[in-house]
Amino acid sequence: MTAASVELGDGLKVSPLGFGGMALTPVYGEVDQGDALRTLHHAVDAGVSFIDTADVYGAGSNEELIAQLLAERRGEVQLATKFGIVGNPHDGYTGIRGDAAYIKQAVEDSLRRLGTDTIDLYYMHRRDLSVPLAETIEAMAELVREGKVLHLGLSEVTAAELREANNIHPIAAVQSEWSIWSRDVERNVVPTAAELGVGFVPYSPLGRGFLTGTVDATQLSDTDFRRRIPRFAEDAADANQGVVAAVQSVAGELGATAAQVALAWLLAHGRRLGIPVVPIPGTRKAHRIDENLGALSLNFTPSQLETLDAAADAVVGSRSADPKWVSQGRE
């Protein structure tokens, strides 16, 4: 790990930007697997060593794709994967499981697909409300004791759930959607993570592409996951162009791209809130990785930060098709 690494929590050090593997599945349309693997290799070549996946991405196929990278470069990668969402994304998810028996099987399946003996960061993807949280965390902690997992993470938990889990075993990172237009986690979850010394890994830091100004909600394919998200509905998407305009305005002033501004805002905002933040933008194009890394050198004026901070006030539509699946619906 280079000096440019960021320490999340529990001693876990990762690259300042990560890579979100979900983009390399058919969730946003079909993917060429050869191109996907080349993109992963380019990410590591460029210094993006924190690779994030989940057992449900592509019904396991994303882990199998990343296994091809790991076969050659395991020592260069900090690997994160997740358990808990049950079902095939093509056919619809069937639920959430967090019981100990399921976790024991899920980790073995992920290790097999990934072709590795150890997962650096293992997340509870979503909270199973039918199972005591303590049972889930104890089962995850057992994986650490067995050496199959090095660090534990939680995705889309409430502040109270984070605190309870961290009392059982140190939590290295919380992963939730967080960006210029998705700021609900700042009310409770982010302050609690900062207090406990837990790092934050924002997923969809580019608003599932919307903040880049390159997404036309009316042209999304029938298989595109975003069709189910309320803020991508045609009327909402039109109203949300104001957020894009704010990002593009600041980008124009800085001679940067909208993606760079959106990522740099998260990094700057994390510093303001006293918490290590490592966004995990995903992309199918290698040159976008280089573009995203340009965010690390951007600096904002107070006026520019004020413009970006205010952009979320006018956002229309929920960030999730089912708010109870994310922390926003349970806080």
Side-chain angles (χ1 to χ4, degrees), residues 15 27 92 118 149 174 260 262 288 307-308 324:
S15 54
V27 71
T118 308
V149 169
V174 168
Q260 290 170 338
R288 293 295 187 196
T307 296
L308 297 172
K324 292 182 180 178

Side-chain angles (χ1 to χ4, degrees), residues 33-282:
Q33 293 301 293
D35 288 344
L37 184 58
R38 284 188 286 273
T39 297
L40 284 169
H41 275 288
H42 184 81
V44 179
D45 290 341
V48 179
S49 56
F50 183 35
I51 308 296
D52 178 276
T53 183
D55 58 3
V56 76
Y57 296 165
S61 66
N62 196 243
E63 289 184 328
E64 291 169 346
L65 169 68
I66 289 170
Q68 297 178 62
L69 173 77
L70 299 179
E72 300 179 33
R73 313 184 72 167
R74 180 66 183 94
E76 299 175 70
V77 171
Q78 301 87 52
L79 171 67
T81 192
K82 315 177 195 72
F83 72 89
I85 298 180
V86 181
N88 188 320
H90 291 294
D91 302 327
Y93 302 123
T94 56
I96 301 170
R97 286 187 64 178
D99 56 284
Y102 181 78
I103 294 167
K104 184 176 182 180
Q105 184 60 53
V107 75
E108 295 297 340
D109 290 343
S110 284
L111 288 168
R112 173 180 50 79
R113 284 189 294 263
L114 289 160
T116 189
D117 296 326
T118 308
I119 295 164
D120 297 296
L121 177 60
Y122 198 43
Y123 284 103
M124 178 185 78
H125 205 165
R126 292 293 186 271
R127 169 76 198 281
D128 182 351
L129 296 174
S130 70
V131 173
L133 181 61
E135 176 182 336
T136 302
I137 304 305
E138 289 285 6
M140 295 172 71
E142 180 62 24
L143 302 179
V144 177
R145 291 189 287 270
E146 293 174 352
K148 296 172 181 175
V149 169
L150 298 183
H151 303 277
L152 302 185
L154 305 171
S155 181
E156 290 291 1
V157 291
T158 66
E161 290 163 348
L162 171 58
R163 193 177 297 279
E164 179 183 351
N166 196 66
N167 284 337
I168 296 170
H169 188 280
I171 301 300
V174 168
Q175 182 177 135
S176 289
E177 184 171 356
W178 188 17
S179 68
I180 287 172
W181 78 339
S182 294
R183 300 186 57 185
D184 52 279
V185 292
E186 293 177 30
R187 288 194 294 272
N188 298 303
V189 185
V190 170
T192 300
E195 174 195 337
L196 298 174
V198 176
F200 215 97
V201 178
Y203 73 79
S204 298
L206 304 180
R208 303 187 188 277
F210 192 83
L211 297 177
T212 66
T214 61
V215 174
D216 182 347
T218 67
Q219 299 299 313
L220 299 177
S221 71
D222 292 340
T223 60
D224 196 307
F225 168 76
R226 289 170 290 190
R227 279 192 170 275
R228 303 200 298 269
I229 299 176
R231 62 178 53 171
F232 280 89
E234 188 170 344
D235 290 348
D238 287 344
N240 289 329
Q241 289 301 321
V243 182
V244 177
V247 174
Q248 291 177 328
S249 172
V250 173
E253 293 175 9
L254 292 172
T257 68
Q260 290 170 338
V261 167
L263 293 169
W265 177 86
L266 267 171
L267 299 172
H269 201 42
R271 290 191 291 270
R272 287 189 289 177
L273 298 177
I275 187 170
V277 171
V278 179
I280 50 169

Side-chain angles (χ1 to χ4, degrees), residues 13-41:
K13 295 181 179 180
V14 300
S15 54
L17 286 182
F19 183 90
M22 192 175 80
L24 300 180
T25 67
V27 71
Y28 297 132
E30 293 306 312
V31 182
D32 180 281
Q33 293 301 293
D35 288 344
L37 184 58
R38 284 188 286 273
T39 297
L40 284 169
H41 275 288

Side-chain angles (χ1 to χ4, degrees), residues 1-6 16:
M1 185 60 56
T2 68
S5 65
V6 173

